Amino acid sequence: MSLTEDPTPLGDTAFLEYTWPVVSSKVFEVGEVAPTRTLADVIEHRRSNRVLAPASLEQTVGALLFALRPRFWKEGDSLKRSRRPSLSAGALHPITVLLFQERAVFRLNAELSLLERLQFSDEVYSAWVSKCQSVLPEANGTFLMLVADMARPNSAYANSESLVWRDAGALLQTIALVAELFGLGFCPLGILGHEVVTELHSDGQLLAVGAAVIGLRPEARAADSNQ
């Protein structure tokens, strides 16, 4: 893979997706959007929030599903192209989101609206959360990690990695706007998480491409406690 060479389409070639170590799964619903919010309002009020409290799993997953789930699938397509809120090179959407919350690691399977609990060591979980908290000590929310499965991009493009990095930035921006739409706080982190990907034993197929935290802003938590 190269970040200096332009990507070149290869056509629709065969690929094998990574098999995630799922131990259990649960269906979640997409969260309801506040009808009074406009796009202009969301854009003007979006901020990076560095002081956060935990939101419920239902709130967090509901918002993330709104940001990530496919709205349209290309029928009969071998590369499973889809249309989603975030742009993606070739409509491939190779990035999945992992959630670190409640001493567990989850994968959001946006295609099936499933939250999948993954088999993960306590040591790697603790080390990753501690690393995130060292960056944002007052962010006590759900830590997110963006992981790209390179099988599809590599089957569609030569030198595909630059496209995946572009997708990661677009996805972070989309989640940031959706968090604001749902009244949640959000902040990207300047770390990647290669040590977490190593735990997944993918033989280089998975690539850590970003991290963030999502949760309740202080004013939202105060309003909830006063009700």
Side-chain angles (χ1 to χ4, degrees):
M1 293 184 287
S2 173
L3 289 176
T4 59
E5 298 293 331
D6 289 337
T8 305
L10 296 174
D12 295 1
T13 58
F15 72 99
L16 185 63
E17 289 182 307
Y18 174 74
T19 301
W20 295 88
V22 177
V23 295
S24 63
S25 62
K26 180 180 178 182
V27 176
F28 275 79
E29 299 292 333
V30 178
E32 293 186 8
V33 178
T36 57
R37 301 297 300 269
T38 65
L39 177 60
D41 180 48
V42 170
I43 289 174
E44 294 297 338
H45 285 87
R46 186 215 60 79
R47 300 287 187 277
S48 290
N49 305 109
R50 293 170 175 81
V51 180
L52 295 170
S56 69
L57 207 53
E58 287 73 16
Q59 285 176 290
T60 303
V61 176
L64 290 174
L65 278 176
F66 184 86
L68 299 172
R69 69 181 176 87
R71 272 44 169 195
F72 169 82
W73 291 96
K74 185 176 180 182
E75 188 174 350
D77 181 57
S78 60
L79 289 179
K80 300 171 63 177
R81 294 178 177 90
S82 61
R83 181 177 63 82
R84 312 186 192 195
S86 183
L87 61 81
S88 177
L92 297 178
H93 297 283
I95 298 173
T96 194
V97 175
L98 304 186
L99 294 79
F100 292 72
Q101 183 174 333
E102 301 175 358
R103 302 297 306 177
V105 181
F106 302 94
R107 174 189 178 243
L108 187 54
N109 184 336
E111 290 82 2
L112 301 177
S113 296
L114 292 176
L115 189 66
E116 301 171 337
R117 182 166 183 164
L118 303 182
Q119 183 177 345
F120 237 85
S121 74
D122 290 337
E123 292 79 8
V124 173
Y125 175 96
S126 297
W128 173 246
V129 170
S130 294
K131 186 175 183 178
C132 293
Q133 290 174 332
S134 71
V135 178
L136 290 178
E138 296 184 90
N140 189 25
T142 299
F143 292 103
L144 308 179
M145 193 178 139
L146 277 58
V147 182
D149 184 341
M150 297 301 295
R152 266 191 290 174
N154 288 343
S155 70
Y157 297 95
N159 306 314
S160 66
E161 190 172 347
S162 64
L163 296 175
V164 173
W165 284 109
R166 189 194 70 177
D167 283 11
L171 185 56
L172 280 173
Q173 178 69 23
T174 299
I175 297 175
L177 292 171
V178 169
E180 172 60 35
L181 177 65
F182 280 82
L184 295 172
F186 179 84
C187 188
L189 304 176
I191 53 179
L192 296 174
H194 291 301
E195 62 271 43
V196 175
V197 166
T198 299
E199 171 76 5
L200 293 167
H201 307 292
S202 70
D203 294 325
Q205 182 170 334
L206 299 182
L207 180 66
V209 292
V213 61
I214 188 170
L216 293 177
R217 296 177 295 210
E219 61 270 24
R221 187 181 184 187
D224 287 343
S225 63
N226 290 331
Q227 291 179 357

